[in-house]
Amino acid sequence: MGCGGSRIKVESENITPELLSKAGLTMTDWNWMVNHKGYEEKELYEMLRGFQEDFPEGGIYRHQFEAFFPEMKMGKAMADMVFSVLDSDKNGYLDFKEFQQAIDLVGARLPDDRLRWSFKLYDEDNSGSIALDEMEKVMDCIYNMFEGMGQRPSGDPKERAGRIFRKIDINGDGDLTENEFIKGCSDDKEMMELLNKLFASLTGEK
């Protein structure tokens, strides 16, 4: 193993905020990826270094997006909208965390996977649950994606989020687990039909 490989090995065994800040990431970002992606920290760090080598300017810019994800069969307007949703910090490119979320989006084939992607996108504190305000963000995001297809769902996203939230927050603790979120959205037939149509358009499904 060369000097570069030795340095990566040492760094991967001692992940610090300072080290991550060089890649525009925080420890919260890192913990999210470790908890949600299922990689060992060393493997994830090696992927990060590879990403930095491939995209030395910080990440995947809009003009690179469609070429990098050919599985996503979309026109320019749709690609712009999806890129905007994934670029959560609005800095104009997808950083390593946002890139991982894009991979999850492309790989979401089953209805539960699609809802899980929406949930995990906003479980920023890795708590495994979301509060009402986070649920509203999820629903607003979904509505915006539908609107980009010219098929905005009926009603107001915040009202819909509140209705689903109240319906499935049976114990009244003000939090929904991932399973509760998935069940609540799964019971909303209009939402599931539109969600399936959205992902079909993104991934070229028949």
Side-chain angles (χ1 to χ4, degrees):
M1 181 181 291
C3 295
S6 298
R7 184 176 69 254
I8 291 176
K9 182 176 185 297
V10 171
E11 290 176 349
S12 69
E13 293 172 350
N14 184 32
I15 302 296
T16 64
E18 292 73 24
L19 189 64
L20 293 175
S21 68
K22 296 176 182 178
L25 299 172
T26 65
M27 285 303 297
T28 298
D29 293 331
W30 185 255
N31 290 333
W32 185 95
M33 288 185 285
V34 170
N35 289 333
H36 289 307
K37 299 299 295 183
Y39 297 116
E40 295 291 333
E41 285 196 84
K42 180 178 182 295
E43 184 180 8
L44 190 62
Y45 186 72
E46 289 174 349
M47 292 170 64
L48 170 60
R49 289 301 298 264
F51 183 83
Q52 290 176 303
E53 290 178 7
D54 290 339
F55 303 100
E57 295 182 3
I60 301 173
Y61 283 81
R62 172 64 191 87
H63 68 276
Q64 302 170 301
F65 181 60
E66 285 172 89
F68 203 81
F69 291 101
E71 305 93 332
M72 302 178 83
K73 313 295 184 183
M74 63 183 91
K76 183 180 184 302
M78 183 61 139
D80 287 344
M81 181 269 298
V82 173
F83 185 89
S84 178
V85 170
L86 291 167
D87 182 22
S88 56
D89 56 8
K90 308 304 178 189
N91 63 1
Y93 60 83
L94 303 186
D95 60 29
F96 184 64
K97 179 188 176 185
E98 292 162 345
F99 168 69
Q100 293 297 324
Q101 292 169 339
I103 292 174
D104 288 345
L105 170 61
V106 173
R109 301 292 179 179
L110 300 175
D112 282 8
D113 292 334
R114 295 163 180 178
L115 290 171
R116 192 168 288 111
W117 178 81
S118 298
F119 180 92
K120 288 180 177 177
L121 188 62
Y122 290 98
D123 183 20
E124 289 292 341
D125 59 2
N126 303 308
S127 66
S129 64
I130 56 175
L132 177 57
D133 64 327
E134 293 173 312
M135 175 77 165
E136 290 174 346
K137 290 179 182 177
V138 172
M139 199 60 65
D140 195 48
C141 165
I142 292 174
Y143 263 60
N144 288 337
M145 294 179 84
F146 291 148
E147 190 167 25
M149 297 174 63
Q151 299 182 22
R152 185 177 176 83
S154 61
D156 178 81
K158 290 188 177 182
E159 290 179 1
R160 193 182 208 120
R163 185 169 66 250
I164 294 175
F165 195 95
R166 289 188 296 272
K167 179 181 177 182
I168 55 184
D169 183 27
I170 299 174
N171 61 7
D173 66 353
D175 287 300
L176 295 180
T177 65
E178 182 178 294
N179 287 337
E180 288 174 331
F181 171 77
I182 290 172
K183 183 180 185 307
C185 291
S186 296
D187 290 341
D188 189 324
K189 291 184 179 180
E190 182 196 14
M191 182 60 64
M192 290 308 301
E193 287 176 3
L194 289 170
L195 192 64
N196 289 335
K197 189 178 295 185
L198 170 67
F199 275 80
S201 71
L202 292 180
T203 58
E205 295 174 10
K206 301 295 185 182

